[in-house]
Amino acid sequence: MLPGWVWLTGAGPGDPGLLTLHALNALRQAEVIVHDALVAPAILDWANPAATRIDMGKRGGTASPSQRDISLELVELARAGKRVLRLKGGDPFVFGRGGEEAQTLAQHGVPFRIVPGISAGIGGLAYAGIPVTHRDINASLTFVTGHDPKGRAPALDWQAIARGSGVIVIYMGMRNLGEIAGKLIAAGRGGDTPVAIVQSASTPEQRVLETTLARAAAEAEAANIGAPAIVCIGEAALMRQALDWQALATGEPLRNTDPLGLGPAER
Ligand code: SAH
């Protein structure tokens, strides 16, 4: 029997057009596909129809399986000689526990390949017309998870984040958004700091809320914006006024091509 292996692969934020060629190749060749709830159905449509699909997000309506069970299932499948595609939303190494899964494979001597994907915090925001860096805005970028393993806002140096980072991007941030916004404001970030929240970025269900740090949590709740959503805090969120290319494609005019008031961008 030929030894199996695992492709530990990022599926991107949703639009199948954001898959890499390596990911598509793995979708076509894999005998077993182990995917998360976050992987869009439109992406699984590209899989080999003969492949077995295992949804690790929800199995038979029961609670999601533990990380240990998922990692060990990958080991078992590969040991049974299967070509296994482990498909995760976004990038497998960005708040995706891909590092832990790869480590389990390494510890069990299972061959694996890593296929990076487009992370929601970059590509998802790009689909809302938000550049995560812009020369007029920020020379650094902070990615934050909105909750620790217990579900609480993570214990971070919020003072340093509030002061040191022009743009803050929060993954899994909806549940603790009010608390996080409060910590950033207490640390000196203005309550009027622009915020954009992008739900289901790059999918047909994409919705975007433009708000401010002080109002973000209440407005998100009122607008019923929920997971999966990516939160962008900082002036980058204003650039959507100029760069909402999806609105442009549907014939809407851009609202303001110079949201920072700095003149021609090609200066
Ligand atoms: N590995 C993923 C992140 C997994 S954590 C990546 O690199 O993108 C899950 C969080 O990612 C969600 O709570 C949300 O904050 C974000 N996310 C993933 N897909 C998203 C999407 N299509 N739209 C908005 N946020 C998304």
Side-chain angles (χ1 to χ4, degrees), residues 13-14 38 89-92 94-96 118-121 170-173 198-203 227-230:
L38 218 50
D91 183 278
V94 179
F95 298 131
I118 293 183
S119 191
I170 306 180
Y171 290 73
M172 297 172 276
V198 188
Q199 176 181 322
S200 300
S202 87
T203 75
I230 194 90

Short mmCIF file of all heavy atoms in Angstrom, two decimals, residues 13-14 38 89-92 94-96 118-121 170-173 198-203 227-230, ligand 1:
data_model
loop_
_atom_site.label_atom_id
_atom_site.label_comp_id
_atom_site.label_asym_id
_atom_site.label_seq_id
_atom_site.Cartn_x
_atom_site.Cartn_y
_atom_site.Cartn_z
N PRO A 13 -11.45 32.85 1.96
CA PRO A 13 -12.60 33.31 2.74
C PRO A 13 -13.96 32.86 2.21
O PRO A 13 -14.95 32.98 2.94
CB PRO A 13 -12.48 34.83 2.68
CG PRO A 13 -11.69 35.12 1.45
CD PRO A 13 -10.78 33.96 1.24
N GLY A 14 -14.05 32.38 1.00
CA GLY A 14 -15.37 31.94 0.54
C GLY A 14 -15.50 31.83 -0.97
O GLY A 14 -15.91 30.80 -1.49
N LEU A 38 -16.65 26.48 8.17
CA LEU A 38 -16.40 27.75 7.50
C LEU A 38 -16.15 27.61 6.00
O LEU A 38 -16.22 28.59 5.27
CB LEU A 38 -15.17 28.40 8.16
CG LEU A 38 -15.14 29.91 8.37
CD1 LEU A 38 -16.41 30.41 9.03
CD2 LEU A 38 -13.93 30.29 9.20
N GLY A 89 -10.97 27.18 6.49
CA GLY A 89 -11.29 28.51 5.98
C GLY A 89 -10.07 29.42 6.03
O GLY A 89 -9.23 29.30 6.92
N GLY A 90 -9.96 30.32 5.06
CA GLY A 90 -8.87 31.29 5.08
C GLY A 90 -7.53 30.65 4.90
O GLY A 90 -7.32 29.84 4.00
N ASP A 91 -6.61 30.99 5.78
CA ASP A 91 -5.28 30.40 5.78
C ASP A 91 -5.18 29.44 6.97
O ASP A 91 -5.62 29.78 8.07
CB ASP A 91 -4.21 31.50 5.91
CG ASP A 91 -2.82 30.93 5.86
OD1 ASP A 91 -2.32 30.43 6.90
OD2 ASP A 91 -2.23 30.95 4.77
N PRO A 92 -4.59 28.25 6.76
CA PRO A 92 -4.59 27.28 7.85
C PRO A 92 -3.74 27.70 9.06
O PRO A 92 -3.96 27.21 10.16
CB PRO A 92 -4.02 26.01 7.20
CG PRO A 92 -3.32 26.46 5.97
CD PRO A 92 -3.99 27.71 5.52
N VAL A 94 -3.44 30.87 10.19
CA VAL A 94 -3.89 32.13 10.81
C VAL A 94 -5.13 31.83 11.64
O VAL A 94 -6.21 31.59 11.08
CB VAL A 94 -4.20 33.21 9.76
CG1 VAL A 94 -4.69 34.49 10.44
CG2 VAL A 94 -2.98 33.50 8.90
N PHE A 95 -4.99 31.82 12.94
CA PHE A 95 -6.09 31.53 13.86
C PHE A 95 -6.92 30.33 13.40
O PHE A 95 -8.14 30.31 13.55
CB PHE A 95 -7.00 32.76 14.03
CG PHE A 95 -6.29 33.95 14.62
CD1 PHE A 95 -6.39 35.20 14.03
CD2 PHE A 95 -5.52 33.81 15.76
CE1 PHE A 95 -5.73 36.30 14.58
CE2 PHE A 95 -4.85 34.90 16.31
CZ PHE A 95 -4.97 36.15 15.71
N GLY A 96 -6.23 29.32 12.86
CA GLY A 96 -6.95 28.18 12.30
C GLY A 96 -6.54 26.85 12.91
O GLY A 96 -7.03 25.81 12.49
N ILE A 118 -5.87 32.43 1.34
CA ILE A 118 -6.09 33.86 1.54
C ILE A 118 -6.88 34.06 2.83
O ILE A 118 -7.98 33.54 2.98
CB ILE A 118 -6.84 34.47 0.35
CG1 ILE A 118 -5.92 34.41 -0.88
CG2 ILE A 118 -7.28 35.90 0.66
CD1 ILE A 118 -6.51 35.03 -2.13
N SER A 119 -6.27 34.76 3.75
CA SER A 119 -6.89 34.93 5.07
C SER A 119 -7.98 36.00 5.02
O SER A 119 -7.88 37.00 4.30
CB SER A 119 -5.80 35.32 6.07
OG SER A 119 -6.31 35.24 7.37
N ALA A 120 -9.02 35.77 5.83
CA ALA A 120 -10.15 36.72 5.87
C ALA A 120 -9.70 38.13 6.24
O ALA A 120 -10.24 39.11 5.73
CB ALA A 120 -11.20 36.24 6.87
N GLY A 121 -8.69 38.21 7.10
CA GLY A 121 -8.24 39.51 7.56
C GLY A 121 -7.52 40.32 6.50
O GLY A 121 -7.31 41.52 6.67
N ILE A 170 -9.58 42.21 13.74
CA ILE A 170 -9.99 41.24 14.76
C ILE A 170 -10.73 40.07 14.11
O ILE A 170 -11.74 40.26 13.41
CB ILE A 170 -10.90 41.89 15.82
CG1 ILE A 170 -10.20 43.12 16.41
CG2 ILE A 170 -11.23 40.89 16.92
CD1 ILE A 170 -11.02 43.82 17.45
N TYR A 171 -10.21 38.89 14.35
CA TYR A 171 -10.87 37.64 13.95
C TYR A 171 -11.73 37.17 15.13
O TYR A 171 -11.35 37.33 16.28
CB TYR A 171 -9.85 36.54 13.66
CG TYR A 171 -9.03 36.73 12.41
CD1 TYR A 171 -8.02 37.68 12.35
CD2 TYR A 171 -9.24 35.94 11.29
CE1 TYR A 171 -7.25 37.84 11.20
CE2 TYR A 171 -8.48 36.09 10.14
CZ TYR A 171 -7.49 37.04 10.11
OH TYR A 171 -6.73 37.19 8.97
N MET A 172 -12.84 36.53 14.83
CA MET A 172 -13.70 35.96 15.87
C MET A 172 -14.05 37.02 16.91
O MET A 172 -14.07 36.75 18.11
CB MET A 172 -13.01 34.76 16.55
CG MET A 172 -12.74 33.62 15.58
SD MET A 172 -11.72 32.30 16.28
CE MET A 172 -10.07 32.95 16.01
N GLY A 173 -14.31 38.21 16.44
CA GLY A 173 -14.43 39.33 17.36
C GLY A 173 -15.84 39.70 17.77
O GLY A 173 -16.02 40.60 18.59
N VAL A 198 -17.06 43.18 8.28
CA VAL A 198 -17.45 42.49 7.05
C VAL A 198 -17.90 41.07 7.42
O VAL A 198 -17.10 40.28 7.94
CB VAL A 198 -16.29 42.42 6.05
CG1 VAL A 198 -16.78 41.87 4.71
CG2 VAL A 198 -15.66 43.80 5.87
N GLN A 199 -19.15 40.81 7.17
CA GLN A 199 -19.70 39.48 7.45
C GLN A 199 -19.70 38.66 6.16
O GLN A 199 -20.03 39.17 5.09
CB GLN A 199 -21.13 39.63 7.97
CG GLN A 199 -21.85 38.30 8.21
CD GLN A 199 -23.27 38.51 8.71
OE1 GLN A 199 -23.56 39.41 9.48
NE2 GLN A 199 -24.17 37.66 8.25
N SER A 200 -19.33 37.38 6.28
CA SER A 200 -19.32 36.46 5.14
C SER A 200 -18.64 37.06 3.92
O SER A 200 -19.15 37.01 2.79
CB SER A 200 -20.75 36.03 4.78
OG SER A 200 -21.34 35.38 5.89
N ALA A 201 -17.47 37.63 4.17
CA ALA A 201 -16.73 38.31 3.11
C ALA A 201 -16.49 37.39 1.92
O ALA A 201 -16.22 36.20 2.08
CB ALA A 201 -15.38 38.78 3.66
N SER A 202 -16.62 37.95 0.76
CA SER A 202 -16.35 37.30 -0.54
C SER A 202 -17.37 36.23 -0.92
O SER A 202 -17.19 35.55 -1.91
CB SER A 202 -14.92 36.70 -0.61
OG SER A 202 -14.86 35.38 -0.09
N THR A 203 -18.43 36.11 -0.16
CA THR A 203 -19.50 35.17 -0.52
C THR A 203 -20.70 36.00 -1.01
O THR A 203 -20.75 37.22 -0.82
CB THR A 203 -19.96 34.33 0.69
OG1 THR A 203 -20.76 35.16 1.55
CG2 THR A 203 -18.79 33.76 1.47
N ALA A 227 -21.17 36.26 13.18
CA ALA A 227 -20.10 35.43 12.66
C ALA A 227 -20.55 34.69 11.39
O ALA A 227 -21.74 34.36 11.29
CB ALA A 227 -19.67 34.42 13.72
N PRO A 228 -19.61 34.42 10.47
CA PRO A 228 -18.22 34.87 10.51
C PRO A 228 -18.10 36.31 10.06
O PRO A 228 -18.59 36.68 9.01
CB PRO A 228 -17.53 33.93 9.52
CG PRO A 228 -18.58 33.62 8.49
CD PRO A 228 -19.89 33.65 9.24
N ALA A 229 -17.44 37.09 10.88
CA ALA A 229 -17.25 38.49 10.50
C ALA A 229 -15.85 38.93 10.92
O ALA A 229 -15.32 38.50 11.95
CB ALA A 229 -18.29 39.38 11.17
N ILE A 230 -15.28 39.78 10.09
CA ILE A 230 -13.95 40.29 10.35
C ILE A 230 -14.07 41.79 10.63
O ILE A 230 -14.85 42.48 9.97
CB ILE A 230 -13.02 39.96 9.16
CG1 ILE A 230 -11.56 40.17 9.50
CG2 ILE A 230 -13.40 40.68 7.88
CD1 ILE A 230 -10.90 38.95 10.04
N1 SAH B 1 -8.00 30.69 9.20
C1 SAH B 1 -9.02 31.70 8.99
C2 SAH B 1 -9.53 32.28 10.29
C3 SAH B 1 -10.21 31.26 11.16
S1 SAH B 1 -10.87 31.97 12.62
C4 SAH B 1 -8.49 32.78 8.08
O1 SAH B 1 -7.27 32.82 7.84
O2 SAH B 1 -9.28 33.58 7.59
C5 SAH B 1 -12.53 32.27 12.14
C6 SAH B 1 -12.74 33.75 11.94
O3 SAH B 1 -12.22 34.15 10.70
C7 SAH B 1 -14.19 34.17 11.89
O4 SAH B 1 -14.73 34.30 13.18
C8 SAH B 1 -14.05 35.51 11.21
O5 SAH B 1 -13.57 36.49 12.07
C9 SAH B 1 -12.97 35.21 10.18
N2 SAH B 1 -13.53 34.80 8.90
C10 SAH B 1 -13.29 33.68 8.22
N3 SAH B 1 -13.95 33.67 7.05
C11 SAH B 1 -14.59 34.85 6.96
C12 SAH B 1 -15.42 35.46 5.99
N4 SAH B 1 -15.73 34.86 4.83
N5 SAH B 1 -15.92 36.69 6.25
C13 SAH B 1 -15.63 37.33 7.40
N6 SAH B 1 -14.84 36.80 8.35
C14 SAH B 1 -14.33 35.58 8.14
#
